[in-house]
Amino acid sequence: MRVVLLGPPGVGKGTQGRRLAAERGWALISTGEMLREAAARRTPLGLEAQRRMDRGLLVPDDVMIELVRGRLGQPDAARGFVLDGFPRTVPQAEALERMLAERGKPLDAVVCLAIPEMRLVHRLTARRECPVCKRAYNLESAPPRDGRHCDDHPTVELVQRADDAEETVRRRLEVYRELTGPTVEHFRARGRLTEVDADGTPDDVHRRLAGALGGRASVRSG
Ligand code: AMP
């Protein structure tokens, strides 16, 4: 299947996308992750993206569209994919629909993860990730076992993403309302949108998401 996950920053797109992709053997295409990797490699794209990310602003549409076009052309994406973080604007949505139509492989589902907005700032500022495997934690709702290190990499200390500082979080939420809100409406107006309640534990949300996509959720222990 080809699935888009929409929803505000901090709603759990990364966590849910990663789990869904691993479970179903689909490629996980996270544009934020791709940009952070490019920034770590200090490529020209990465450095420019970093400046915008640090301010909570979006990277220009044409840059993002070409990045995703290239990624969708890679062989693993042919088995199906979950897009996390793209499209974030109406022009990105239109470009995505055009590029998939050209390949005769339209989207199967566009899912919006929804949560009351007041929950988000809190969720984002308490968010931490493993710098090695990128597994996401939340110091309040989903802490690591020892409170500091990744469960899968016990010597690696969790870090906060630079753009999860409170002021940047508020800017990212504003940008979401202004630019990504209309993207959600774009899909809703076409009868393409499925909404999933994302207020709950990662397991709860995974079950709802898997139900919305058809198929059973795997049950995780621990
Ligand atoms: P994320 O990890 O999805 O929260 O993305 C982190 C940052 O990367 C965003 O705040 C943007 O600056 C940038 N970014 C990621 N995806 C896109 C996109 N589709 N369009 C524009 N900017 C993006």
Side-chain angles (χ1 to χ4, degrees), residues 59-135:
V59 172
D61 285 338
D62 52 345
V63 174
M64 294 311 301
I65 290 165
E66 286 318 304
L67 192 70
V68 169
R69 188 192 302 283
R71 182 65 186 85
L72 288 176
Q74 288 175 16
D76 63 333
R79 289 197 306 271
F81 57 77
V82 186
L83 264 173
D84 152 29
F86 185 97
R88 257 181 161 93
T89 64
V90 172
Q92 290 181 15
E94 289 170 347
L96 176 67
E97 288 172 315
R98 262 198 313 277
M99 61 180 112
L100 293 175
E102 278 162 20
R103 295 162 200 244
K105 299 202 156 157
L107 290 172
D108 296 294
V110 180
V111 179
C112 185
L113 297 177
I115 198 173
E117 192 175 312
M118 49 185 290
R119 286 261 211 293
L120 291 171
V121 175
H122 214 75
R123 244 166 115 143
L124 282 162
T125 50
R127 181 159 84 167
R128 298 291 181 278
E129 69 176 20
C130 171
V132 174
C133 69
K134 310 294 177 201
R135 181 168 165 188

Side-chain angles (χ1 to χ4, degrees), residues 102-183:
E102 278 162 20
R103 295 162 200 244
K105 299 202 156 157
L107 290 172
D108 296 294
V110 180
V111 179
C112 185
L113 297 177
I115 198 173
E117 192 175 312
M118 49 185 290
R119 286 261 211 293
L120 291 171
V121 175
H122 214 75
R123 244 166 115 143
L124 282 162
T125 50
R127 181 159 84 167
R128 298 291 181 278
E129 69 176 20
C130 171
V132 174
C133 69
K134 310 294 177 201
R135 181 168 165 188
Y137 295 87
N138 188 290
L139 295 183
E140 295 185 8
S141 56
R145 277 197 291 272
D146 74 356
R148 268 180 62 194
H149 300 91
C150 178
D151 291 349
D152 301 325
H153 299 93
T155 59
V156 177
E157 207 159 318
L158 302 181
V159 295
Q160 183 176 38
R161 273 173 46 175
D163 58 351
D164 279 346
E166 185 160 343
E167 199 188 313
T168 315
V169 160
R170 293 196 187 279
R171 168 73 61 76
R172 287 164 65 207
L173 290 173
E174 260 168 49
V175 167
Y176 179 80
R177 268 194 301 273
E178 242 175 67
L179 295 171
T180 312
T183 314

